Amino acid sequence: MEMKIEECDVIDLFELHYSELSSPSSTKVDSIMETLGANGSGLLAVTGIPHISNLRSYLLPLARKLSLLDRQTRNRILKEHNLGSDVPLKNPHRSVSSFAMQLKYEKTHSEEKDEHEFYGNGFENLGSAFQELGFCIMEVGLCLARICDTAIGGNELEQSLLESNAAKGRLIHYHSHLDAILLQEIDKSKTNNKRGVRNAKKPLEGSCLTSIACDAVHSNLWQQWHYDYGIFTVLTAPFFLLPSYSETSAIQNLSTCVECPSPTGHTNLQIYDPNKKRVFMVRAPPGSFIIQVGESADIISKGRLRSTLHSVHRPLKFENLSRETFVVFLQPAWTKTFSISDYPLEKSAFDRVDGQCFLVDEFDDNDEQQSGRDDNKLSLEIQKIVPPLSSRLKDGMTFAEFSRETTKQYYGGSGLQSNR
């Protein structure tokens, strides 16, 4: 459904400084639990992380460069750096490209490269930078799990992460409409070359640029509404790129992009608050890590932590804007068994929303009532997209079974995850 997303409220995340992760005050712990709990946003920002500025500046722009490579070259580079992908990169009409790696908890910082080695813009340090940023994120996630365990009692969250022995890291490029043009041109060129057609490189100008752009898929979402089903999702505040080109630039020059501040003033990550029945755009400090609660943390904490319903908004007013981020999904071991005997399932995830919010009432035509009607319509739309937790979780399920059932209900197929 189309909605006036630019008019949504913006929330500033609760900020936790990196230095507070090791020994937060009791007041800070209370604030963390309030933020991540049933009445909070379900996410916070960690600031002041040392030694990541150059690492982030080197790694994130590589997401777009990898996305726009020809398939053979990209596959070679990914293989050299032990990376794979969990999206169909053969599809030139895709809106997201993702490059993934399994990260092991037993790795130590002594195995990481020094910060100064990550200058430049080539792929030579892709794998090393991927791992170092991933390890830093995993450490932050473990620290937060320890803090939450202190408040909840026991150490189940931290232990669940350590027992998994691995987390999945993803370097993600959210495509602009310009990227759609470039990918279609690359695909067209490859198809013509297979047919033995000799194509001279011609400028992509004026009406030609416009006509191809009009054929691209227009959507106000880069990523559809969903819950993450692990324990925590930790991601870098996004990196935005805009092309440095004129309307008459040749196709080979269009791929040059430069970093820019977010033109929308926020991260383009948006959450749905079931208590307020509203969508909020998320604003986070540049260079911070955003930590988001997943459904497994919700279940393990018996509802003390709240999983976050979210999507990624695509600003149509800035059609040539692309978005880069790095994400690590922290999850329990596949064999982790969930007990829901004392878990308030009827109040979890989207089931938590009072069913009355899904009923579209009769309103008079004033702005406030129209807004209420739009919010109820959005709730209905999200309900159609997001399978309720009660339909995916059964008592005694392992995380592997929960993961498979969740993936199956969202996307169909077997529900199996990629090993990369």
Side-chain angles (χ1 to χ4, degrees):
M1 80 181 277
E2 294 295 328
M3 62 176 294
K4 296 178 180 178
I5 204 72
E6 285 80 4
E7 298 177 7
C8 286
D9 292 335
V10 175
I11 63 166
D12 290 294
L13 296 185
F14 172 79
E15 295 181 24
L16 180 67
H17 194 273
Y18 179 81
S19 61
E20 298 174 296
L21 284 172
S22 57
S23 56
S25 65
S26 58
T27 302
K28 187 68 74 170
V29 172
D30 290 342
S31 297
I32 291 169
M33 293 303 295
E34 182 179 351
T35 299
L36 300 183
N39 296 315
S41 64
L43 63 171
L44 55 77
V46 177
T47 60
I49 306 108
H51 310 307
I52 69 159
S53 178
N54 291 330
L55 184 60
R56 176 180 173 272
S57 296
Y58 165 74
L59 185 63
L60 267 59
L62 295 185
R64 182 174 187 269
K65 292 185 177 183
L66 282 169
S67 303
L68 298 179
L69 289 174
D70 66 89
R71 196 182 311 160
Q72 185 176 2
T73 303
R74 179 172 57 237
N75 288 345
R76 175 181 56 78
I77 292 171
L78 294 179
K79 186 175 181 180
E80 286 175 357
H81 294 278
N82 197 32
L83 286 164
S85 180
D86 43 14
V87 300
L89 297 177
K90 292 181 180 179
N91 177 14
H93 302 288
R94 65 187 185 274
S95 60
V96 173
S97 294
S98 173
F99 309 100
M101 180 191 291
Q102 289 285 355
L103 301 164
K104 302 293 184 180
Y105 279 101
E106 67 264 21
K107 299 288 185 180
T108 64
H109 285 286
S110 63
E111 297 176 79
E112 297 165 12
K113 287 184 176 286
D114 294 332
E115 180 190 7
H116 71 270
E117 294 187 48
F118 295 109
Y119 286 109
N121 57 10
F123 295 109
E124 59 275 4
N125 289 315
L126 171 62
S128 302
F130 195 110
Q131 290 185 59
E132 181 167 345
L133 188 54
F135 296 152
C136 182
I137 283 177
M138 291 162 76
E139 180 187 12
V140 168
L142 282 171
C143 288
L144 186 66
R146 203 173 298 129
I147 292 170
C148 293
D149 279 336
T150 300
I152 295 166
N155 66 340
E156 193 172 2
L157 287 170
E158 182 186 8
Q159 194 61 32
S160 295
L161 291 178
L162 292 173
E163 287 174 355
S164 73
N165 195 38
K168 176 174 277 190
R170 287 180 184 154
L171 179 63
I172 304 177
H173 169 60
Y174 296 88
H175 295 206
S176 67
H177 288 300
L178 173 61
D179 296 331
I181 295 169
L182 294 171
L183 284 171
Q184 289 177 57
E185 286 297 303
I186 291 168
D187 186 65
K188 187 191 301 181
S189 174
K190 187 186 75 171
T191 302
N192 288 339
N193 286 334
K194 279 185 176 180
R195 292 173 181 168
V197 178
R198 208 174 214 177
N199 295 308
K201 288 186 177 178
K202 296 181 179 180
L204 186 66
E205 302 176 353
S207 61
C208 180
L209 178 64
T210 305
S211 65
I212 294 177
C214 289
D215 291 336
V217 177
H218 283 69
S219 168
N220 69 346
L221 290 181
W222 263 313
Q223 193 168 36
Q224 189 52 267
W225 289 99
H226 67 286
Y227 290 97
D228 293 340
Y229 51 82
I231 290 179
F232 293 132
T233 301
V234 188
L235 58 149
T236 61
F239 196 106
F240 293 95
L241 296 174
L242 275 173
S244 55
Y245 72 99
S246 66
E247 281 294 314
T248 58
S249 292
I251 182 76
Q252 55 265 39
N253 295 326
L254 286 174
S255 59
T256 303
C257 282
V258 294
E259 182 186 5
C260 66
S262 170
T264 59
H266 49 70
T267 63
N268 289 88
L269 174 67
Q270 56 186 5
I271 63 171
Y272 182 85
D273 188 324
N275 298 309
K276 298 178 180 177
K277 307 179 183 69
R278 293 286 307 277
V279 172
F280 291 89
M281 290 294 185
V282 173
R283 185 160 50 207
S288 64
F289 287 168
I290 300 169
I291 301 183
Q292 187 169 280
V293 175
E295 289 178 312
S296 292
D298 196 324
I299 297 163
I300 290 171
S301 69
K302 310 301 182 187
R304 293 283 301 278
L305 301 176
R306 188 186 83 180
S307 51
T308 312
L309 178 61
H310 61 285
S311 63
V312 181
H313 172 238
R314 181 183 216 159
L316 297 182
K317 289 182 179 179
F318 305 96
E319 64 174 16
N320 285 333
L321 182 76
S322 68
R323 182 180 185 270
E324 327 299 318
T325 192
F326 183 86
V327 186
V328 176
F329 297 91
L330 304 175
Q331 60 191 40
W334 296 114
T335 54
K336 171 72 177 177
T337 300
F338 292 134
S339 170
I340 59 172
S341 57
D342 54 352
Y343 173 68
L345 186 60
E346 74 284 353
K347 294 182 179 179
S348 67
F350 217 122
D351 299 335
R352 177 183 286 113
V353 184
D354 183 350
Q356 294 301 312
C357 87
F358 294 125
L359 301 177
V360 181
D361 301 323
E362 294 297 324
F363 292 107
D364 294 328
D365 289 331
N366 63 48
D367 289 343
E368 184 176 349
Q369 291 166 334
Q370 181 62 42
S371 175
R373 181 187 296 146
D374 288 344
D375 289 340
N376 278 348
K377 286 180 179 178
L378 175 63
S379 295
L380 282 167
E381 290 298 318
I382 293 175
Q383 189 186 34
K384 292 175 185 176
I385 295 164
V386 179
L389 184 60
S390 58
S391 73
R392 299 178 278 116
L393 178 65
K394 307 299 178 188
D395 192 41
M397 256 188 175
T398 64
F399 176 67
E401 292 168 334
F402 174 57
S403 166
R404 189 177 303 121
E405 184 60 31
T406 296
T407 305
K408 186 188 300 182
Q409 289 200 33
Y410 271 111
Y411 309 112
S414 66
L416 295 175
Q417 282 196 23
S418 164
N419 289 327
R420 287 294 186 118

